[in-house]
Amino acid sequence: MNFSRSQIIQTLINVRNYSRYLEVGVHKGETFLNIDAEKKVAVDIKFSFDYQNDKNPNATYYQVPSDQYFSSPAGRDKFDIIFIDGLHTLEQTLRDLLNAVTSLADGGIIVIDDVIPDSYHASLPDFQQSLRLRNHLGSTSRSWMGDVYRVVFFIHYFLPKFNYATVTDSHGVLVMWQDPRRNTFEPKMSLEDIGRVPFEAIVDNERIYNKLPFEAVLRQIANAK
């Protein structure tokens, strides 16, 4: 069984009894509109659906860049679970992640989409370049994940207070939770190194990605101290 983004997030909300949900990068609302929570906040530079007619009293929409949202008074709110699915570049995802860390309530969880691109051209951070290569190769896949896959290396080397796993039965979703990792003393990567991590690192660094079925991820979260 493959779990959708909304199924993973809703399961985490239900299991952990969460009430406050933030989604960064909403696009057409496929995930956001399917989430049931007491408080839902959506942030996108431009929503691709008629969000103003959403009658859900628990939902609030901010049509602004995520950097602007996090620097506003509303961006000081705390959330139990935050889903990051904005611009598919390492730089923007990293900014959203660091802002999410400061906005996360105690015991909260961050979910990041698109950490496993399904092809080399889908991993390119420049969308137009990705599109040109896709057309040249005659690929029918329309996916574009950019170089979000590199953010996993940042989490591994720079955020040791979080544990994390990449969900194997999903669409490249990473779940990270507050649980200090042990035995993290190992050769480090610099930020410059992370910015240059090649596509093949996804295969060559299975340990870094910590790929697990969703049920195993839930067990690890439940056992977190």
Side-chain angles (χ1 to χ4, degrees):
M1 174 183 177
N2 272 349
F3 292 90
S4 67
R5 303 163 185 85
S6 58
Q7 287 175 322
I8 289 173
I9 293 166
Q10 191 65 58
T11 299
L12 291 168
I13 289 173
N14 295 344
V15 169
R16 305 284 290 182
N17 196 29
Y18 287 155
S19 60
R20 299 165 294 178
Y21 172 63
L22 169 65
E23 183 169 321
V24 178
V26 179
H27 192 39
K28 296 180 181 179
E30 298 99 329
T31 301
F32 187 80
L33 295 175
N34 285 305
I35 297 300
D36 182 21
E38 291 180 21
K39 176 181 179 179
K40 303 200 309 178
V41 174
V43 177
D44 201 300
I45 192 169
K46 184 174 176 59
F47 296 107
S48 298
F49 64 100
D50 188 8
Y51 70 95
Q52 293 176 321
N53 281 329
D54 183 3
K55 305 302 182 183
N56 186 341
N58 299 330
T60 305
Y61 293 87
Y62 294 91
Q63 187 166 263
V64 295
S66 57
D67 294 342
Q68 182 178 332
Y69 165 77
F70 282 116
S71 64
S72 70
R76 299 171 190 164
D77 290 348
K78 296 291 185 178
F79 296 90
D80 303 304
I81 184 164
I82 301 173
F83 179 43
I84 299 174
D85 188 22
L87 183 63
H88 297 167
T89 65
L90 170 64
E91 289 83 359
Q92 187 59 53
T93 303
L94 187 52
R95 285 200 294 269
D96 290 337
L97 171 60
L98 294 177
N99 281 317
V101 167
T102 64
S103 297
L104 194 65
D106 290 342
I109 288 174
I110 297 173
V111 179
I112 305 174
D113 197 22
D114 297 312
V115 301
I116 304 288
D118 58 9
S119 66
Y120 172 71
H121 58 78
S123 76
L124 297 175
D126 185 313
F127 176 71
Q128 293 302 323
Q129 185 182 29
S130 174
L131 184 62
R132 288 193 299 271
L133 183 55
R134 183 183 78 191
N135 292 338
H136 174 74
L137 295 173
S139 172
T140 58
S141 172
R142 300 185 62 83
S143 61
W144 176 59
M145 293 84 169
D147 61 345
V148 177
Y149 70 93
R150 290 171 169 152
V151 81
V152 183
F153 290 82
F154 179 86
I155 295 168
H156 182 78
Y157 288 109
F158 285 87
L159 296 179
K161 291 186 177 181
F162 285 85
N163 206 340
Y164 68 93
T166 305
V167 181
T168 54
D169 38 3
S170 75
H171 177 73
V173 170
L174 179 140
V175 179
M176 54 186 288
W177 60 96
Q178 296 162 326
D179 181 30
R181 280 175 278 134
R182 299 163 184 83
N183 301 321
T184 58
F185 299 101
E186 57 183 323
K188 304 299 184 184
M189 291 183 73
S190 68
L191 289 173
E192 184 177 3
D193 292 335
I194 291 171
R196 294 175 177 174
V197 168
F199 171 73
E200 57 267 24
I202 299 168
V203 176
D204 296 339
N205 294 271
E206 291 281 338
R207 179 182 62 86
I208 298 292
Y209 282 86
N210 191 28
K211 298 178 181 179
L212 294 173
F214 185 44
E215 291 298 329
V217 177
L218 288 174
R219 287 195 296 273
Q220 285 203 8
I221 294 172
N223 293 329
K225 295 182 180 180

